[in-house]
Amino acid sequence: MLFCAAMTMNGPDPVLHMLHGRHTSLVLEQVPGQPPLWRHWGARLPDGVASGPGLIASRPVPTFSLDAPVPFSLFPGFGLGWYGQSALLAHRNGRDFAQGFATSNLAAEPGRLICTLDDEVAGIRVVVELALDAGTDVLTVRTRLTNRGSQPLAIQWLAAAVLPLPAGALAVRHHHGRHNREFAEAVDALGHGIWLRENRRGLTGHDGVPGAVVMMPGATEQAGTAYGAQLAWSGNSRQCIEWLDDGRYQWQLGEFLAPGEVVLAPGETLAAPDVLATCSLAGSGGVARNFHGAVRRRQAWPGGAMRPRPVLINTWEGFYFDHDPARLMALADAAAEVGIERFVLDDGWFAGRRDDRRALGDWWVDTGIYPDGLRPLADHVRRRGMEFGLWVEPEMVNPHSDLFRAYPEWALQLPGRPLATARNQLVLDLTRPAVADHLFERLSALVGDLGVAYLKWDHNRDLAPAGDAAARAAYRRQVLANWQLMDRLRAAHPQLEIESCAGGGGRIDAGMAARVQRFWASDCIDALLRIGLQRGFQQFLPPELMGAHIGAARCHTTGRVFTLGFQALVAMQGHLGVEQDITRMDSTERAKLAGWIGLYKQYRHLLHGGEVWRGTAGDGVAWHAAGNGLEWLLILYRTAVMEQRHTSPLPLPFLGTGRYDIAEIRPGETRPHQLYDGAWLAHAGLPIPPG
């Protein structure tokens, strides 16, 4: 074939709708009788760019095809000629299983497109809202479906977003894992088929955030084109990437729905979770930075803005269930002396709680341990200049508890099925108003009576079975009820902060990030393992939300031994805390800990709220940089014994063209400064000291 290109001003153009970010653009083509067609999502296009002929007009009809093939659209239907994954699977008692949508309205606003799609035959309306934030290049997709028919509509699948990926997409980077080993990275090649990930655990799950990163050829951590998407949802999820007949891929994300879980009565609406999606021309690291900006804009900080993230101490690995008020007050004294700003009392403070087999649900203070209640400890903590925090697990109940004995029907269950316990506990049915009201009253009383500034909110098991009072699947309604309970509690106590914990990293997602101020990334604080784990967390969420602790020298979960300095440098990537009984430290070690805490406080304005760059440099070197363009903090890790006599210099691609004053810093030490040109450091690299 031979083509000739010459400039012309003639010829009708298709109707295009565009959204532009800093570095990316989104283009939809409006066609009669169909949803808008995906034409482009990628590098920034000039304003007013013309596409040439429309998508349908520019393509011949393939052999053995419909005479009018159905092209890839914003919301592909099922059963009328689109043979790929459809955006909807639904029916009315077996009828209306096929859907064909037409655009009834497409409203364009600055940075936003709102597309209303109607199927008049099936009686279904779908509204898809696309908002591209120019500051972060993150696209937020919101999808709502309304049953406009006269009979109930059963929903099997509703895509929260349908996204295009270019031909040539090479691989998908995602995360898997388990309790104590979250965010293990995996890379799968994309081919002529479907890549599928589903979660059916009832909460986000230890095996990964409901999202992924797609790499184009040549893309790396620092350069090249990469796409990312994540579902802002704390429950069951599904995402698939499917090869299409024109060489492109479609990427769908949404809730995994249990059988019969969503049946819409006439007039009812189902709102899918938000999807955050982005294209970056700066590799997977650029995807992460875009996501950080978008999640920060969704944050609900007390007072409306993030304050410096306070250093905390958590009592779990130092004390477990062995609570002693005198020892805990001594811990508070030691914590204040080393510069800790928040004291969190973990599991074991409430009535009859001596181990993990009893008392969950009985949320009043154990007077056998605390004869005067928790007020003396809380007041002592505050007198030492720290905030008082408390561990709770509101959504759970032990069969061996007063609450369960009084209200056994309050647990999620199914008639005729066994009550399956995990960690000796069951899950309370938050969809029952009486349960939600009871939990709100108990939590609100604790926060108000004790002056609690911070709740570590745990959730130590998956959902099975998840039947409500009517024996119907309650997975998604349980998530919404949990969100509503958190929102209600924070509305009653506006200064309260909440940490989301689910056996560590079992409920980490952008939906939860809109209502909590911290995530416990993993119950494992092995510093070497945490380097990769925290890299996975920060692919989707910003570092100030990531709890990262300095534990005992010998890690409680892996038995490996680490120096205090190495642990501190790993914990400094996130919201720093301490997880050990520091009263057992000698004065020298305690002084070192105070030094590292002081260093964190000195530089947390760089560690939180700015840009994050990460990478590896070979020869066992990993690095993490955080800053604001003018000032940067670079942390280097030696993860293996050197193989080379001299480690190669480390390029610093985040630096600008000015001159930089570089100094190695350690607590209590002053090192010589060196002046470097930013361009030199970006390309030739920074010499790495041996270690």
Side-chain angles (χ1 to χ4, degrees):
M1 294 184 180
L2 185 65
F3 295 90
C4 176
M7 292 188 67
T8 179
M9 302 297 291
N10 300 321
D13 289 330
V15 178
L16 300 179
H17 297 273
M18 301 187 184
L19 296 175
H20 297 298
R22 289 179 305 166
H23 305 297
T24 62
S25 295
L26 175 156
V27 182
L28 296 173
E29 178 185 343
Q30 189 169 344
V31 294
Q34 296 190 44
L37 307 182
W38 275 112
R39 296 300 305 273
H40 175 79
W41 180 38
R44 178 71 155 82
L45 299 173
D47 294 343
V49 66
S51 69
L55 184 65
I56 296 174
S58 65
R59 288 178 170 176
V61 176
T63 59
F64 205 81
S65 298
L66 296 178
D67 293 334
V70 179
F72 178 42
S73 73
L74 180 66
F75 197 84
F78 177 81
L80 298 178
W82 173 256
Y83 301 113
Q85 171 70 49
S86 60
L88 177 66
L89 293 172
H91 67 95
R92 286 191 179 84
N93 197 26
R95 303 174 66 90
D96 291 330
F97 68 90
Q99 299 94 31
F101 292 92
T103 303
S104 56
N105 187 57
L106 206 161
E109 303 174 0
R112 188 184 311 269
L113 296 173
I114 303 173
C115 182
T116 302
L117 309 172
D118 282 304
D119 183 334
E120 299 295 348
V121 175
I124 302 172
R125 168 168 288 180
V126 173
V127 178
V128 181
E129 178 182 333
L130 305 167
L132 182 60
D133 180 67
T136 63
D137 276 314
V138 169
L139 173 70
T140 300
V141 185
R142 294 187 173 100
T143 301
R144 301 185 305 278
L145 182 148
T146 301
N147 178 11
R148 304 181 75 196
S150 59
Q151 299 296 322
L153 181 70
I155 309 294
Q156 179 182 339
W157 166 249
L158 172 63
V162 178
L163 303 167
L165 293 169
L170 189 64
V172 55
R173 179 187 293 173
H174 60 104
H175 296 87
H176 62 98
R178 61 172 179 83
H179 178 234
N180 284 330
R181 186 59 180 94
E182 298 86 344
F183 291 103
E185 186 177 290
V187 178
D188 295 334
L190 293 174
H192 289 199
I194 292 179
W195 177 86
L196 176 66
R197 285 292 305 274
E198 291 182 345
N199 169 46
R200 310 175 194 90
R201 296 182 177 275
L203 68 162
T204 314
H206 290 83
D207 52 353
V209 168
V213 176
V214 173
M215 310 292 280
M216 297 299 292
T220 66
E221 176 80 22
Q222 315 300 347
T225 301
Y227 291 81
Q230 57 176 311
L231 188 70
W233 181 241
S234 303
N236 292 338
S237 64
R238 182 179 192 268
Q239 57 173 327
C240 69
I241 300 175
E242 179 184 38
W243 185 81
L244 303 177
D245 286 342
D246 61 5
R248 293 184 293 173
Y249 291 86
Q250 67 158 326
W251 190 354
Q252 292 193 16
L253 302 95
E255 292 181 63
F256 177 92
L257 297 175
E261 187 168 11
V262 176
V263 179
L264 297 180
E268 281 191 329
T269 295
L270 172 63
D274 288 0
V275 169
L276 308 182
T278 189
C279 172
S280 168
L281 308 183
S284 59
V287 169
R289 289 186 291 278
N290 291 352
F291 278 152
H292 294 177
V295 171
R296 284 166 177 156
R297 296 188 182 201
R298 297 164 65 91
Q299 275 299 114
W301 295 106
M306 181 183 73
R307 62 187 174 100
R309 308 307 297 130
V311 183
L312 66 79
I313 189 165
N314 191 68
T315 64
W316 180 243
E317 286 198 2
F319 290 78
Y320 294 105
F321 293 108
D322 185 18
H323 284 220
D324 179 291
R327 287 182 58 208
L328 289 166
M329 287 185 182
L331 179 69
D333 293 338
E337 290 170 5
V338 298
I340 288 170
E341 300 158 307
R342 175 181 285 162
F343 182 100
V344 182
L345 184 66
D346 211 291
D347 194 359
W349 57 267
F350 48 98
R353 185 69 162 175
R354 300 295 187 271
D355 50 47
D356 65 4
R357 296 188 295 274
R358 71 198 75 205
L360 272 178
D362 299 341
W363 298 112
W364 53 87
V365 178
D366 190 325
T367 54
I369 301 174
Y370 299 96
D372 298 315
L374 287 179
R375 170 68 70 175
L377 176 61
D379 288 344
H380 182 78
V381 165
R382 283 188 285 269
R383 282 195 298 270
R384 297 310 309 263
M386 295 179 291
E387 299 173 351
F388 182 69
L390 198 62
W391 179 94
V392 292
E393 196 173 2
E395 296 152 90
M396 300 295 155
V397 65
N398 287 127
H400 184 14
S401 67
D402 289 347
L403 182 70
F404 184 78
R405 284 187 285 267
Y407 302 102
E409 71 278 10
W410 280 12
L412 288 170
Q413 55 194 281
L414 289 172
R417 304 294 183 185
L419 280 171
T421 56
R423 198 180 181 245
N424 307 297
Q425 60 198 55
L426 302 168
V427 184
L428 290 171
D429 182 0
L430 269 63
T431 70
R432 293 172 178 255
V435 175
D437 289 345
H438 169 79
L439 292 176
F440 171 76
E441 290 163 5
R442 293 305 311 142
L443 294 171
S444 186
L446 284 168
V447 172
D449 294 346
L450 295 172
V452 173
Y454 180 86
L455 285 179
K456 181 182 177 183
W457 188 305
D458 218 333
H459 188 295
N460 278 307
R461 62 158 295 174
D462 300 326
L463 272 56
D468 65 5
R472 295 187 58 185
Y475 297 98
R476 74 179 311 270
R477 288 179 291 123
Q478 182 80 358
V479 173
L480 295 174
N482 164 258
W483 285 4
Q484 290 164 4
L485 179 59
M486 286 184 167
D487 293 344
R488 184 179 175 188
L489 189 63
R490 292 200 62 232
H493 304 277
Q495 297 308 308
L496 178 69
E497 291 192 14
I498 297 176
E499 173 184 339
S500 174
C501 177
R507 191 157 63 178
I508 296 174
D509 57 81
M512 190 62 74
R515 45 197 40 87
V516 303
Q517 292 69 47
R518 193 182 202 251
F519 292 96
W520 184 224
S522 176
D523 279 347
C524 180
I525 51 178
D526 179 302
L528 188 60
L529 184 148
R530 272 276 187 152
I531 291 175
L533 188 152
Q534 293 177 180
R535 167 192 170 99
F537 179 103
Q538 291 179 84
Q539 182 64 65
F540 301 97
L541 300 171
E544 58 267 24
L545 300 184
M546 183 183 72
H549 290 185
I550 300 169
R554 182 176 296 278
C555 176
H556 284 209
T557 50
T558 66
R560 295 196 289 196
V561 177
F562 301 100
T563 65
L564 175 60
F566 186 72
Q567 289 198 75
L569 286 173
V570 173
M572 282 178 67
Q573 285 190 17
H575 180 186
L576 185 137
V578 176
E579 186 93 11
Q580 58 175 303
D581 182 1
I582 63 174
T583 65
R584 298 178 181 272
M585 282 182 163
D586 62 32
S587 58
T588 301
E589 283 295 290
R590 208 180 296 181
K592 289 179 181 179
L593 176 61
W596 285 111
I597 289 173
L599 198 67
Y600 166 81
K601 290 179 178 179
Q602 183 180 352
Y603 290 103
R604 59 186 163 190
H605 69 287
L606 298 177
L607 293 163
H608 304 152
E611 289 190 10
V612 173
W613 292 67
R614 311 155 307 165
T616 57
D619 200 24
V621 174
W623 59 275
H624 176 100
N628 54 26
L630 298 177
E631 186 180 11
W632 293 88
L633 188 69
L634 172 66
I635 307 175
L636 295 178
Y637 305 101
R638 179 76 65 182
T639 63
V641 177
M642 291 176 63
E643 295 181 1
Q644 302 168 195
R645 292 182 181 272
H646 303 285
T647 300
S648 303
L650 173 65
L652 305 178
F654 49 87
L655 294 183
T657 56
R659 302 208 80 191
Y660 289 85
D661 187 356
I662 306 291
E664 183 181 353
I665 56 174
R666 297 175 188 265
E669 295 185 23
T670 302
R671 299 289 178 109
H673 291 231
Q674 298 285 340
L675 287 175
Y676 287 89
D677 190 276
W680 177 268
L681 293 173
H683 298 284
L686 177 72
I688 297 177

